[in-house]
Amino acid sequence: MPASRSLGRSLGLWALLIAASGILAYALALARFPAALLLGPMLAAIAFGVRGAGIALPKAPFQAAQALIGCLVAHAVNAEITGTLLDDGLLILLVVLVTVAAGAVVGVVLTRMRILPGTTAAWGSSPGGAAAMVAMAEEYGSDPRLVAFMQYVRVAAVVLSASLVACLLTDTDLPAGAGQAVAPAAPLGSVLATLAIATLGAGIALALRLPAGALVGPMLLGSALHATGIASISLPAWLLDGAYAVIGWYVGLRFTRETLRETLHAFPGIAAATLAVIALCAAWAFGLTRILPIDFLTAFLATSPGGFDSVAIIAVGSKADVSFVLAVQTLRLFVVLVTGPILARWIARAAPPDPAVRG
């Protein structure tokens, strides 16, 4: 009986979460927010998580949603991205390095102020894929709860700020957001091929233990097949809507009351650091508009410090230059994955001596 009662409670909470997500997503869609179907579920899940609802989304659905977003990104990847990297490669690398440097500076400040331990501050402030940073932080001995808290606070802040900027700068009659990037009547053969690419790409990447493999694998495989014309990427709107919602729930439900209680003393520093990184990237984005013939929305999304899947959804659903945004975001993801361990050790060495040890 207790087990059935617990199951009934969980199902009831999920029904309430789905209803609240739908209401919020619809309201945001009416306000013409890009990625409303991601933002609405995420905000609803944050409220449920912080209030101690006690429900969580398993990792498998999240990885499946990431695989679909990887295919969505692959749909937008073509020869233009390669051309963008070739034409503006040095500048794109500079954009990436500035964003990574901003995260490193924030990590050093948090460490010097004793708000967080050195390696935890390093991984938490790294502007890469949140799931990949949490996984790598745990492997290198950092507190994964604090890292996850920092990463997902930043993801939430980036999604909110990027959605707001896109809403203000995008004049569109397509309120739902990213779903319009894919044909509403997707051919069955193309849909099945896309699902096969998602499954195969994610399976290979996860077997090879690539960071963020569920997203990166389908993105790389799908991009190669789609750009060469070997396969056509097609995703029906309802499937993408489900993927957006799953990612929003997975991120939002991580904001639990217990995590907030454990990290309450660090929250002001984490919030200030998050806003500082976003502000630095926004200032750099404004500078890019003076250097390159791109609009501010494109520059802002390109320099936004994660998460990759959320920014990709917003970019595809707005009037941004998707090829430039994805080129910068993809390159930065790999740069962060390579430099992460080095920066973590460097930031850890910047920590002041422990007074207890010195005494």
Side-chain angles (χ1 to χ4, degrees), residues 35-42 57-73 178-179 182 194-195 198 214-215 235-252 309-310 313:
L37 293 166
L38 167 76
L39 194 57
M42 186 184 72
L57 193 69
K59 195 170 185 178
F62 175 64
Q63 290 178 328
Q66 281 190 313
L68 292 177
I69 298 305
C71 289
L72 173 65
V73 173
V182 181
T194 302
L195 294 178
L215 173 71
L235 289 167
W238 62 267
L239 191 58
L240 277 177
D241 294 347
Y244 302 154
V246 165
I247 291 176
W249 289 330
Y250 187 84
V251 172
D309 44 11
S310 305
I313 291 171

Side-chain angles (χ1 to χ4, degrees), residues 13-87:
L13 287 171
W14 272 108
L16 289 174
L17 176 58
I18 292 172
S21 300
I23 293 171
L24 281 174
Y26 182 70
L28 291 169
L30 289 179
R32 298 186 178 181
F33 267 82
L37 293 166
L38 167 76
L39 194 57
M42 186 184 72
L43 292 175
I46 288 174
F48 274 66
V50 171
R51 292 185 62 85
I55 55 177
L57 193 69
K59 195 170 185 178
F62 175 64
Q63 290 178 328
Q66 281 190 313
L68 292 177
I69 298 305
C71 289
L72 173 65
V73 173
H75 179 273
V77 172
N78 48 39
E80 291 183 11
I81 288 185
T82 303
T84 299
L85 287 171
L86 292 176
D87 294 340

Side-chain angles (χ1 to χ4, degrees), residues 252-264:
L253 289 174
R254 290 198 163 211
F255 288 81
T256 64
R257 184 179 300 173
E258 290 74 15
T259 305
L260 287 176
R261 187 182 299 117
E262 292 172 357
T263 58
L264 186 60

Side-chain angles (χ1 to χ4, degrees), residues 49-249:
V50 171
R51 292 185 62 85
I55 55 177
L57 193 69
K59 195 170 185 178
F62 175 64
Q63 290 178 328
Q66 281 190 313
L68 292 177
I69 298 305
C71 289
L72 173 65
V73 173
H75 179 273
V77 172
N78 48 39
E80 291 183 11
I81 288 185
T82 303
T84 299
L85 287 171
L86 292 176
D87 294 340
D88 302 309
L90 290 178
L91 188 57
I92 289 175
L93 181 60
L94 180 60
V95 172
V96 169
L97 294 178
V98 167
T99 307
V100 173
V105 169
V106 168
V108 170
V109 171
L110 291 175
T111 302
R112 298 293 298 178
M113 295 178 65
R114 297 183 182 278
I115 295 175
L116 292 172
T119 55
T120 299
W123 292 113
S125 57
S126 294
M133 293 301 103
V134 173
M136 293 180 72
E138 193 166 7
E139 291 177 5
Y140 283 86
S142 297
D143 187 341
R145 295 171 301 178
L146 286 173
V147 173
F149 182 73
M150 286 187 68
Q151 287 286 340
Y152 285 103
V153 163
R154 194 190 71 241
V155 168
V158 167
V159 171
L160 288 169
S161 61
S163 296
L164 180 60
V165 170
C167 180
L168 295 174
L169 299 182
T170 300
D171 181 19
T172 177
D173 294 327
L174 304 175
Q180 289 78 23
V182 181
L188 180 59
S190 296
V191 173
L192 293 177
T194 302
L195 294 178
I197 291 171
T199 303
L200 182 61
I204 293 175
L206 291 174
L208 294 174
R209 298 191 177 184
L210 294 179
L215 173 71
V216 173
M219 183 185 71
L220 295 179
L221 179 61
S223 298
L225 296 178
H226 183 73
T228 56
I230 297 176
S232 176
I233 303 291
S234 295
L235 289 167
W238 62 267
L239 191 58
L240 277 177
D241 294 347
Y244 302 154
V246 165
I247 291 176
W249 289 330

